[in-house]
Amino acid sequence: MKEYKGIPVSTGIAAGTVFFAAAERSVCRTEKTEDTKKETRRLITALNKAAAELTELYRKTLREAGTSAADIFLIHKMMLQDSDFYSRMRTLITEDRLSAETAVGKAAEEFSRELAESGSEYIAERGADVSDVADRIIRILRGKTTAPAPVGTEKIILVANEITPSLTLMFSGLQLLGLVSGKGSATSHTAILARSLGIPAVIVNGVTFDSSVNGQTCIVDGVSGGVYFSPDSQKLKAVRSAEKSSAEKASAEKSSAEKSSEKERELFEILPPPETATQSGKKITLYANAGSLEDVDAAVRCGAEGIGLFRSEFSYLGRTVLPTEAELTAVYQAAAKKLGTRKFIIRTLDIGADKKAACIPMQNEPNPALGIRALRLCFANPQLFTTQLRAVLRAGVTGNVAVMFPMICSLSEIHRAKQFLKAAAADLKNENVPHAERIETGIMIETPAAAVISDVLAAEVDFFSIGTNDLTQYTLAVDRQNADIAEYCDPHHESVLRLIELTAKHAREHGIWCGICGELGADTSLTERFIKAGISELSAAPSALHALRKKIRSLP
Ligand code: PEP
Ligand code: MG
């Protein structure tokens, strides 16, 4: 048995057979050819096959994970069909007499290098996509299939030196049980994706995995951070029984929630969600975090009382063209319809820092997490902000919609954001476009500044939702994306907990509700402390709601 201790980033425990996802380029030798015509033909056939695979992957992802995730594969297809990329590969075959595999690897390397030197962080990041595309072409040239065939029909644990969201999505579905990545961070979008898929994930920084782990049995413990390759029978037995009892619990919950027949399931979905209260009757609202319509479905299935954080930026990521007001309205209205009378809190665009969207050009900043992010970006792009606010207000006629502004530091930012909201409503009224006249308006408390002056801010809004991921980052001066300093990114730090308590106290004093929508809200070891502080709402990944409900109901 070989074991590693890593950072648990998505809870649960699973045992399965390892599928090691190697970067194909890393095992690409320089091969020469005499028959350049044959190599060019091979390249063209592989490019066509890769395009067909990407179309299929796009459809699968659209079904399983929504538009924003699926769009990644549309971008990959555009890269694949890029004429410069093709001529570069062709020249390497015809002039340098390289094999098709070597030409693809070299062309991708050159492209990625040029992107890295572009001076734009967003463009540099596209180097990883070029590498993804090259891996795909090389794999096809080597005659390998795309499905996780090496482990047949077995349930897999995906192991890679860096698991990206696109890699995760490629394997998502029934076969994927857990993730082990050699690089990453707890609040990366891969980790958030793992949590929304409800699978355990552990990041073991500093370890380089190779194909020798392929086919081995592996246990991923998303609670302790343990990863065990070829575990002994005793360890495996313990995990199997933990898996069995959690599967039994899940199925018991499922059958009591969804009942057994389709008819009853439909009934369940229109019934109000279960209330959650402590033994003494203190009611805690349980909402879910979502980024897509599929997440909204999962939230309803898990008995969420609403969506406490809709990460609206997911509709912009992976797109080269901005979504129109009509498109955004359609998404928000579809979600509001699914939710019926349940609350639907749309967080306005939080682009910047680690989230860059191709459709929103941004400067290369030395400290993006401290730069043009969220509202700062919206204020600098009035049309962008207004378009989103109009869509939010229009969705307000379909359901119980609220709006939430992220990354607030000062009172003037709330005034400015509310001014935009007022102007958008006035325009809609003049144009006779149906919209909500009054919309519940809240802010995220995710900077120490906002927490400290939350007494002042509370007078201006209807609610607070504490974003503990960023609150931790900004309080402890630790970049949440930097895996090398992950040990300093401690959301349990007393300073963070006290800021939460202070915010909840100010909210209570001003008669507004205060919740938590950052990852810490799902940490059941803190639920009691949060409730004592006055937190009355928790919003977490749908898969975390069962444990939270159980914990709250057990509290005095
Ligand atoms: C947070 O910062 O805690 C939060 C919920 O927002 P995000 O993770 O999307 O930055
Ligand atoms: Mg945040």
Side-chain angles (χ1 to χ4, degrees), residues 192 309 311 313 347 350 355 373 444 446 467-470 480 517-519:
I192 288 172
L309 165 66
R311 287 187 162 97
E313 57 279 3
R347 184 220 2 231
D350 183 11
K355 285 176 263 180
R373 178 181 174 182
M444 291 190 70
E446 45 187 353
T468 51
N469 307 336
D470 279 312
R480 67 191 257 196
C517 65
E519 302 304 313

mmCIF file with all atom_site columns, all heavy atoms in Angstrom, residues 192 309 311 313 347 350 355 373 444 446 467-470 480 517-519, ligand 1:
data_model
loop_
_atom_site.group_PDB
_atom_site.id
_atom_site.type_symbol
_atom_site.label_atom_id
_atom_site.label_alt_id
_atom_site.label_comp_id
_atom_site.label_asym_id
_atom_site.label_entity_id
_atom_site.label_seq_id
_atom_site.pdbx_PDB_ins_code
_atom_site.Cartn_x
_atom_site.Cartn_y
_atom_site.Cartn_z
_atom_site.occupancy
_atom_site.B_iso_or_equiv
_atom_site.pdbx_formal_charge
_atom_site.auth_seq_id
_atom_site.auth_comp_id
_atom_site.auth_asym_id
_atom_site.auth_atom_id
_atom_site.pdbx_PDB_model_num
ATOM   1   N N   . ILE A 1 192 ? -14.616 23.114 -7.047  1.00 0.00 ? 192 ILE A N   1
ATOM   2   C CA  . ILE A 1 192 ? -16.037 23.494 -6.961  1.00 0.00 ? 192 ILE A CA  1
ATOM   3   C C   . ILE A 1 192 ? -16.881 22.547 -7.819  1.00 0.00 ? 192 ILE A C   1
ATOM   4   O O   . ILE A 1 192 ? -17.942 22.089 -7.416  1.00 0.00 ? 192 ILE A O   1
ATOM   5   C CB  . ILE A 1 192 ? -16.215 24.981 -7.363  1.00 0.00 ? 192 ILE A CB  1
ATOM   6   C CG1 . ILE A 1 192 ? -15.651 25.875 -6.242  1.00 0.00 ? 192 ILE A CG1 1
ATOM   7   C CG2 . ILE A 1 192 ? -17.686 25.342 -7.606  1.00 0.00 ? 192 ILE A CG2 1
ATOM   8   C CD1 . ILE A 1 192 ? -15.571 27.354 -6.533  1.00 0.00 ? 192 ILE A CD1 1
ATOM   9   N N   . LEU A 1 309 ? -26.854 31.275 -3.777  1.00 0.00 ? 309 LEU A N   1
ATOM   10  C CA  . LEU A 1 309 ? -25.774 31.885 -4.566  1.00 0.00 ? 309 LEU A CA  1
ATOM   11  C C   . LEU A 1 309 ? -25.828 31.290 -5.963  1.00 0.00 ? 309 LEU A C   1
ATOM   12  O O   . LEU A 1 309 ? -25.551 30.102 -6.151  1.00 0.00 ? 309 LEU A O   1
ATOM   13  C CB  . LEU A 1 309 ? -24.399 31.571 -3.936  1.00 0.00 ? 309 LEU A CB  1
ATOM   14  C CG  . LEU A 1 309 ? -23.179 31.841 -4.831  1.00 0.00 ? 309 LEU A CG  1
ATOM   15  C CD1 . LEU A 1 309 ? -23.009 33.325 -5.120  1.00 0.00 ? 309 LEU A CD1 1
ATOM   16  C CD2 . LEU A 1 309 ? -21.886 31.316 -4.185  1.00 0.00 ? 309 LEU A CD2 1
ATOM   17  N N   . ARG A 1 311 ? -23.914 31.562 -9.198  1.00 0.00 ? 311 ARG A N   1
ATOM   18  C CA  . ARG A 1 311 ? -22.677 32.153 -9.730  1.00 0.00 ? 311 ARG A CA  1
ATOM   19  C C   . ARG A 1 311 ? -22.913 32.504 -11.190 1.00 0.00 ? 311 ARG A C   1
ATOM   20  O O   . ARG A 1 311 ? -22.611 31.725 -12.088 1.00 0.00 ? 311 ARG A O   1
ATOM   21  C CB  . ARG A 1 311 ? -21.517 31.155 -9.576  1.00 0.00 ? 311 ARG A CB  1
ATOM   22  C CG  . ARG A 1 311 ? -21.029 30.975 -8.137  1.00 0.00 ? 311 ARG A CG  1
ATOM   23  C CD  . ARG A 1 311 ? -19.780 30.103 -8.083  1.00 0.00 ? 311 ARG A CD  1
ATOM   24  N NE  . ARG A 1 311 ? -19.068 30.242 -6.830  1.00 0.00 ? 311 ARG A NE  1
ATOM   25  C CZ  . ARG A 1 311 ? -19.190 29.408 -5.787  1.00 0.00 ? 311 ARG A CZ  1
ATOM   26  N NH1 . ARG A 1 311 ? -19.994 28.378 -5.860  1.00 0.00 ? 311 ARG A NH1 1
ATOM   27  N NH2 . ARG A 1 311 ? -18.487 29.615 -4.683  1.00 0.00 ? 311 ARG A NH2 1
ATOM   28  N N   . GLU A 1 313 ? -21.541 34.290 -13.289 1.00 0.00 ? 313 GLU A N   1
ATOM   29  C CA  . GLU A 1 313 ? -20.434 34.416 -14.250 1.00 0.00 ? 313 GLU A CA  1
ATOM   30  C C   . GLU A 1 313 ? -20.237 33.149 -15.082 1.00 0.00 ? 313 GLU A C   1
ATOM   31  O O   . GLU A 1 313 ? -19.627 33.170 -16.136 1.00 0.00 ? 313 GLU A O   1
ATOM   32  C CB  . GLU A 1 313 ? -19.123 34.813 -13.549 1.00 0.00 ? 313 GLU A CB  1
ATOM   33  C CG  . GLU A 1 313 ? -18.647 33.909 -12.453 1.00 0.00 ? 313 GLU A CG  1
ATOM   34  C CD  . GLU A 1 313 ? -19.354 34.165 -11.118 1.00 0.00 ? 313 GLU A CD  1
ATOM   35  O OE1 . GLU A 1 313 ? -20.255 35.021 -11.064 1.00 0.00 ? 313 GLU A OE1 1
ATOM   36  O OE2 . GLU A 1 313 ? -19.018 33.485 -10.136 1.00 0.00 ? 313 GLU A OE2 1
ATOM   37  N N   . ARG A 1 347 ? -26.215 36.271 -7.975  1.00 0.00 ? 347 ARG A N   1
ATOM   38  C CA  . ARG A 1 347 ? -25.062 37.118 -7.678  1.00 0.00 ? 347 ARG A CA  1
ATOM   39  C C   . ARG A 1 347 ? -24.620 37.748 -9.010  1.00 0.00 ? 347 ARG A C   1
ATOM   40  O O   . ARG A 1 347 ? -24.450 37.026 -10.001 1.00 0.00 ? 347 ARG A O   1
ATOM   41  C CB  . ARG A 1 347 ? -23.931 36.251 -7.106  1.00 0.00 ? 347 ARG A CB  1
ATOM   42  C CG  . ARG A 1 347 ? -22.787 37.104 -6.705  1.00 0.00 ? 347 ARG A CG  1
ATOM   43  C CD  . ARG A 1 347 ? -21.373 36.780 -6.904  1.00 0.00 ? 347 ARG A CD  1
ATOM   44  N NE  . ARG A 1 347 ? -20.864 35.643 -7.544  1.00 0.00 ? 347 ARG A NE  1
ATOM   45  C CZ  . ARG A 1 347 ? -19.932 34.869 -7.003  1.00 0.00 ? 347 ARG A CZ  1
ATOM   46  N NH1 . ARG A 1 347 ? -19.521 35.058 -5.775  1.00 0.00 ? 347 ARG A NH1 1
ATOM   47  N NH2 . ARG A 1 347 ? -19.421 33.876 -7.691  1.00 0.00 ? 347 ARG A NH2 1
ATOM   48  N N   . ASP A 1 350 ? -19.149 38.116 -11.237 1.00 0.00 ? 350 ASP A N   1
ATOM   49  C CA  . ASP A 1 350 ? -17.908 38.171 -10.459 1.00 0.00 ? 350 ASP A CA  1
ATOM   50  C C   . ASP A 1 350 ? -16.764 37.655 -11.335 1.00 0.00 ? 350 ASP A C   1
ATOM   51  O O   . ASP A 1 350 ? -16.201 36.597 -11.099 1.00 0.00 ? 350 ASP A O   1
ATOM   52  C CB  . ASP A 1 350 ? -18.049 37.322 -9.181  1.00 0.00 ? 350 ASP A CB  1
ATOM   53  C CG  . ASP A 1 350 ? -16.796 37.400 -8.301  1.00 0.00 ? 350 ASP A CG  1
ATOM   54  O OD1 . ASP A 1 350 ? -15.941 38.257 -8.568  1.00 0.00 ? 350 ASP A OD1 1
ATOM   55  O OD2 . ASP A 1 350 ? -16.675 36.598 -7.366  1.00 0.00 ? 350 ASP A OD2 1
ATOM   56  N N   . LYS A 1 355 ? -11.190 34.045 -12.432 1.00 0.00 ? 355 LYS A N   1
ATOM   57  C CA  . LYS A 1 355 ? -12.234 33.807 -13.433 1.00 0.00 ? 355 LYS A CA  1
ATOM   58  C C   . LYS A 1 355 ? -12.115 34.826 -14.555 1.00 0.00 ? 355 LYS A C   1
ATOM   59  O O   . LYS A 1 355 ? -12.370 36.007 -14.347 1.00 0.00 ? 355 LYS A O   1
ATOM   60  C CB  . LYS A 1 355 ? -13.621 33.903 -12.778 1.00 0.00 ? 355 LYS A CB  1
ATOM   61  C CG  . LYS A 1 355 ? -13.959 32.678 -11.940 1.00 0.00 ? 355 LYS A CG  1
ATOM   62  C CD  . LYS A 1 355 ? -15.276 32.830 -11.225 1.00 0.00 ? 355 LYS A CD  1
ATOM   63  C CE  . LYS A 1 355 ? -15.082 33.295 -9.818  1.00 0.00 ? 355 LYS A CE  1
ATOM   64  N NZ  . LYS A 1 355 ? -16.271 33.485 -9.031  1.00 0.00 ? 355 LYS A NZ  1
ATOM   65  N N   . ARG A 1 373 ? -12.092 43.415 -10.519 1.00 0.00 ? 373 ARG A N   1
ATOM   66  C CA  . ARG A 1 373 ? -12.868 42.203 -10.296 1.00 0.00 ? 373 ARG A CA  1
ATOM   67  C C   . ARG A 1 373 ? -14.302 42.582 -9.928  1.00 0.00 ? 373 ARG A C   1
ATOM   68  O O   . ARG A 1 373 ? -14.537 43.629 -9.337  1.00 0.00 ? 373 ARG A O   1
ATOM   69  C CB  . ARG A 1 373 ? -12.190 41.432 -9.144  1.00 0.00 ? 373 ARG A CB  1
ATOM   70  C CG  . ARG A 1 373 ? -12.904 40.183 -8.783  1.00 0.00 ? 373 ARG A CG  1
ATOM   71  C CD  . ARG A 1 373 ? -12.281 39.407 -7.654  1.00 0.00 ? 373 ARG A CD  1
ATOM   72  N NE  . ARG A 1 373 ? -13.220 38.323 -7.394  1.00 0.00 ? 373 ARG A NE  1
ATOM   73  C CZ  . ARG A 1 373 ? -13.089 37.427 -6.450  1.00 0.00 ? 373 ARG A CZ  1
ATOM   74  N NH1 . ARG A 1 373 ? -12.044 37.451 -5.658  1.00 0.00 ? 373 ARG A NH1 1
ATOM   75  N NH2 . ARG A 1 373 ? -13.988 36.480 -6.283  1.00 0.00 ? 373 ARG A NH2 1
ATOM   76  N N   . MET A 1 444 ? -22.634 40.512 -0.758  1.00 0.00 ? 444 MET A N   1
ATOM   77  C CA  . MET A 1 444 ? -21.746 39.498 -0.196  1.00 0.00 ? 444 MET A CA  1
ATOM   78  C C   . MET A 1 444 ? -20.764 40.201 0.729   1.00 0.00 ? 444 MET A C   1
ATOM   79  O O   . MET A 1 444 ? -20.268 41.281 0.417   1.00 0.00 ? 444 MET A O   1
ATOM   80  C CB  . MET A 1 444 ? -20.993 38.762 -1.290  1.00 0.00 ? 444 MET A CB  1
ATOM   81  C CG  . MET A 1 444 ? -21.913 37.888 -2.106  1.00 0.00 ? 444 MET A CG  1
ATOM   82  S SD  . MET A 1 444 ? -21.007 36.811 -3.216  1.00 0.00 ? 444 MET A SD  1
ATOM   83  C CE  . MET A 1 444 ? -20.245 35.669 -2.070  1.00 0.00 ? 444 MET A CE  1
ATOM   84  N N   . GLU A 1 446 ? -17.348 39.626 1.770   1.00 0.00 ? 446 GLU A N   1
ATOM   85  C CA  . GLU A 1 446 ? -16.202 38.764 1.483   1.00 0.00 ? 446 GLU A CA  1
ATOM   86  C C   . GLU A 1 446 ? -14.883 39.534 1.532   1.00 0.00 ? 446 GLU A C   1
ATOM   87  O O   . GLU A 1 446 ? -13.852 39.022 1.106   1.00 0.00 ? 446 GLU A O   1
ATOM   88  C CB  . GLU A 1 446 ? -16.384 38.001 0.170   1.00 0.00 ? 446 GLU A CB  1
ATOM   89  C CG  . GLU A 1 446 ? -16.896 38.807 -0.984  1.00 0.00 ? 446 GLU A CG  1
ATOM   90  C CD  . GLU A 1 446 ? -17.226 37.953 -2.213  1.00 0.00 ? 446 GLU A CD  1
ATOM   91  O OE1 . GLU A 1 446 ? -16.944 36.748 -2.232  1.00 0.00 ? 446 GLU A OE1 1
ATOM   92  O OE2 . GLU A 1 446 ? -17.754 38.531 -3.175  1.00 0.00 ? 446 GLU A OE2 1
ATOM   93  N N   . GLY A 1 467 ? -19.182 35.414 1.988   1.00 0.00 ? 467 GLY A N   1
ATOM   94  C CA  . GLY A 1 467 ? -18.376 34.600 1.067   1.00 0.00 ? 467 GLY A CA  1
ATOM   95  C C   . GLY A 1 467 ? -17.065 34.258 1.773   1.00 0.00 ? 467 GLY A C   1
ATOM   96  O O   . GLY A 1 467 ? -16.092 35.007 1.711   1.00 0.00 ? 467 GLY A O   1
ATOM   97  N N   . THR A 1 468 ? -17.066 33.128 2.445   1.00 0.00 ? 468 THR A N   1
ATOM   98  C CA  . THR A 1 468 ? -15.905 32.805 3.289   1.00 0.00 ? 468 THR A CA  1
ATOM   99  C C   . THR A 1 468 ? -14.652 32.461 2.481   1.00 0.00 ? 468 THR A C   1
ATOM   100 O O   . THR A 1 468 ? -13.542 32.543 3.002   1.00 0.00 ? 468 THR A O   1
ATOM   101 C CB  . THR A 1 468 ? -16.233 31.633 4.225   1.00 0.00 ? 468 THR A CB  1
ATOM   102 O OG1 . THR A 1 468 ? -16.782 30.576 3.432   1.00 0.00 ? 468 THR A OG1 1
ATOM   103 C CG2 . THR A 1 468 ? -17.226 32.037 5.288   1.00 0.00 ? 468 THR A CG2 1
ATOM   104 N N   . ASN A 1 469 ? -14.834 32.072 1.204   1.00 0.00 ? 469 ASN A N   1
ATOM   105 C CA  . ASN A 1 469 ? -13.645 31.731 0.400   1.00 0.00 ? 469 ASN A CA  1
ATOM   106 C C   . ASN A 1 469 ? -12.785 32.982 0.223   1.00 0.00 ? 469 ASN A C   1
ATOM   107 O O   . ASN A 1 469 ? -11.567 32.970 0.453   1.00 0.00 ? 469 ASN A O   1
ATOM   108 C CB  . ASN A 1 469 ? -14.043 31.213 -0.989  1.00 0.00 ? 469 ASN A CB  1
ATOM   109 C CG  . ASN A 1 469 ? -15.038 30.069 -0.918  1.00 0.00 ? 469 ASN A CG  1
ATOM   110 O OD1 . ASN A 1 469 ? -15.099 29.382 0.088   1.00 0.00 ? 469 ASN A OD1 1
ATOM   111 N ND2 . ASN A 1 469 ? -15.804 29.873 -1.957  1.00 0.00 ? 469 ASN A ND2 1
ATOM   112 N N   . ASP A 1 470 ? -13.459 34.078 -0.193  1.00 0.00 ? 470 ASP A N   1
ATOM   113 C CA  . ASP A 1 470 ? -12.691 35.306 -0.373  1.00 0.00 ? 470 ASP A CA  1
ATOM   114 C C   . ASP A 1 470 ? -12.406 35.997 0.950   1.00 0.00 ? 470 ASP A C   1
ATOM   115 O O   . ASP A 1 470 ? -11.340 36.593 1.116   1.00 0.00 ? 470 ASP A O   1
ATOM   116 C CB  . ASP A 1 470 ? -13.431 36.253 -1.330  1.00 0.00 ? 470 ASP A CB  1
ATOM   117 C CG  . ASP A 1 470 ? -13.191 35.864 -2.772  1.00 0.00 ? 470 ASP A CG  1
ATOM   118 O OD1 . ASP A 1 470 ? -12.017 35.641 -3.114  1.00 0.00 ? 470 ASP A OD1 1
ATOM   119 O OD2 . ASP A 1 470 ? -14.151 35.740 -3.532  1.00 0.00 ? 470 ASP A OD2 1
ATOM   120 N N   . ARG A 1 480 ? -5.953  32.484 -2.654  1.00 0.00 ? 480 ARG A N   1
ATOM   121 C CA  . ARG A 1 480 ? -6.658  31.197 -2.564  1.00 0.00 ? 480 ARG A CA  1
ATOM   122 C C   . ARG A 1 480 ? -6.314  30.239 -3.696  1.00 0.00 ? 480 ARG A C   1
ATOM   123 O O   . ARG A 1 480 ? -6.597  29.046 -3.639  1.00 0.00 ? 480 ARG A O   1
ATOM   124 C CB  . ARG A 1 480 ? -8.190  31.434 -2.491  1.00 0.00 ? 480 ARG A CB  1
ATOM   125 C CG  . ARG A 1 480 ? -8.793  32.009 -3.737  1.00 0.00 ? 480 ARG A CG  1
ATOM   126 C CD  . ARG A 1 480 ? -10.230 32.467 -3.506  1.00 0.00 ? 480 ARG A CD  1
ATOM   127 N NE  . ARG A 1 480 ? -11.211 31.549 -4.048  1.00 0.00 ? 480 ARG A NE  1
ATOM   128 C CZ  . ARG A 1 480 ? -12.500 31.845 -4.259  1.00 0.00 ? 480 ARG A CZ  1
ATOM   129 N NH1 . ARG A 1 480 ? -12.975 33.018 -3.917  1.00 0.00 ? 480 ARG A NH1 1
ATOM   130 N NH2 . ARG A 1 480 ? -13.321 30.986 -4.766  1.00 0.00 ? 480 ARG A NH2 1
ATOM   131 N N   . CYS A 1 517 ? -22.471 31.747 2.205   1.00 0.00 ? 517 CYS A N   1
ATOM   132 C CA  . CYS A 1 517 ? -22.530 30.971 0.969   1.00 0.00 ? 517 CYS A CA  1
ATOM   133 C C   . CYS A 1 517 ? -21.150 30.483 0.539   1.00 0.00 ? 517 CYS A C   1
ATOM   134 O O   . CYS A 1 517 ? -21.021 29.780 -0.455  1.00 0.00 ? 517 CYS A O   1
ATOM   135 C CB  . CYS A 1 517 ? -23.194 31.767 -0.148  1.00 0.00 ? 517 CYS A CB  1
ATOM   136 S SG  . CYS A 1 517 ? -22.254 33.213 -0.612  1.00 0.00 ? 517 CYS A SG  1
ATOM   137 N N   . GLY A 1 518 ? -20.110 30.823 1.290   1.00 0.00 ? 518 GLY A N   1
ATOM   138 C CA  . GLY A 1 518 ? -18.776 30.287 0.990   1.00 0.00 ? 518 GLY A CA  1
ATOM   139 C C   . GLY A 1 518 ? -18.710 28.837 1.456   1.00 0.00 ? 518 GLY A C   1
ATOM   140 O O   . GLY A 1 518 ? -19.619 28.348 2.148   1.00 0.00 ? 518 GLY A O   1
ATOM   141 N N   . GLU A 1 519 ? -17.624 28.176 1.097   1.00 0.00 ? 519 GLU A N   1
ATOM   142 C CA  . GLU A 1 519 ? -17.503 26.738 1.382   1.00 0.00 ? 519 GLU A CA  1
ATOM   143 C C   . GLU A 1 519 ? -17.580 26.415 2.879   1.00 0.00 ? 519 GLU A C   1
ATOM   144 O O   . GLU A 1 519 ? -17.980 25.326 3.282   1.00 0.00 ? 519 GLU A O   1
ATOM   145 C CB  . GLU A 1 519 ? -16.185 26.190 0.812   1.00 0.00 ? 519 GLU A CB  1
ATOM   146 C CG  . GLU A 1 519 ? -16.037 26.387 -0.699  1.00 0.00 ? 519 GLU A CG  1
ATOM   147 C CD  . GLU A 1 519 ? -17.168 25.791 -1.501  1.00 0.00 ? 519 GLU A CD  1
ATOM   148 O OE1 . GLU A 1 519 ? -17.527 24.630 -1.234  1.00 0.00 ? 519 GLU A OE1 1
ATOM   149 O OE2 . GLU A 1 519 ? -17.726 26.493 -2.373  1.00 0.00 ? 519 GLU A OE2 1
HETATM 150 C C1  . PEP B 2 .   ? -16.764 33.188 -1.637  1.00 0.00 ? 1   PEP B C1  1
HETATM 151 O O1  . PEP B 2 .   ? -15.852 33.963 -1.907  1.00 0.00 ? 1   PEP B O1  1
HETATM 152 O O2  . PEP B 2 .   ? -16.860 32.586 -0.534  1.00 0.00 ? 1   PEP B O2  1
HETATM 153 C C2  . PEP B 2 .   ? -17.824 32.913 -2.625  1.00 0.00 ? 1   PEP B C2  1
HETATM 154 C C3  . PEP B 2 .   ? -18.901 32.226 -2.311  1.00 0.00 ? 1   PEP B C3  1
HETATM 155 O O3  . PEP B 2 .   ? -17.631 33.380 -3.905  1.00 0.00 ? 1   PEP B O3  1
HETATM 156 P P1  . PEP B 2 .   ? -16.657 32.666 -4.994  1.00 0.00 ? 1   PEP B P1  1
HETATM 157 O O4  . PEP B 2 .   ? -16.156 31.376 -4.396  1.00 0.00 ? 1   PEP B O4  1
HETATM 158 O O5  . PEP B 2 .   ? -17.467 32.451 -6.223  1.00 0.00 ? 1   PEP B O5  1
HETATM 159 O O6  . PEP B 2 .   ? -15.594 33.685 -5.160  1.00 0.00 ? 1   PEP B O6  1
#
